[in-house]
Amino acid sequence: MTGSTTGVPQAHRTAWWARAARATWRYVRRAPGTYIWLAILLVTTEVIRHVDAATADRILHRRSTNLHHLQVSPVRVLATSALWIAGGGWLSYFALYNLFHVPAERWLGTLRWISVAMLAHVGATYLSEGLLGWAIHRGLAAPRAVYTLDYGVSYALAGVVGVLTYLIVRPWRYLYLAGVLAVYVVGVFQGRDYTGIGHLSAALIGLACYPLTRR
């Protein structure tokens, strides 16, 4: 009797873990691109955590989409800058990716989802850095600003946040849109830097991707 009573709970626990694993895999495989991206971000975040400050600075500067790198190696930095997290921890981005990227990838499909994310990433980078270049040319910013550190996944995220407007049914769509615009417009005035302009630009690019949402 002792073996029977202890074996049943063990069997139940094993079955529960098996069901949980299957459910998790079903959830993940419906948005493969999002979770591959998160896995890469986890690796790069751990790399930065385990190197000294000088090495981390060199790694991130090589992947910065600043004006200098956009002139000499634009493809390389535009691709690699989206593989590192700027500000916040990996867990916070895990939550944000599940909240925004996962539903967007499931809705649009992986190809159109990543197209929106990359259009926002590239477009907002060039818009914000182009404005910085104009400011440098006009003497409104220091010439050394061409080497400003600029990397991360937030522009791509803002673009996906924007395009998700079209997934929400009316009239809640307009409330969501008002909230998105309010967050990014306030960010421009609070930050008073070119990154805030980049985030707003990325959200607007996401909104402009409406044709990609039509099946």
Side-chain angles (χ1 to χ4, degrees), residues 33-34 37 82 101 104-105 108-121 156 160 212:
T34 297
W37 199 351
H101 280 297
E105 185 177 3
L108 296 173
T110 299
L111 180 59
R112 287 187 291 175
W113 158 75
I114 199 63
S115 297
V116 172
M118 290 302 100
L119 282 170
H121 174 65
V160 170
L212 292 177

Side-chain angles (χ1 to χ4, degrees), residues 22 78 89 186:
R22 288 194 296 269
L78 284 167
V186 168

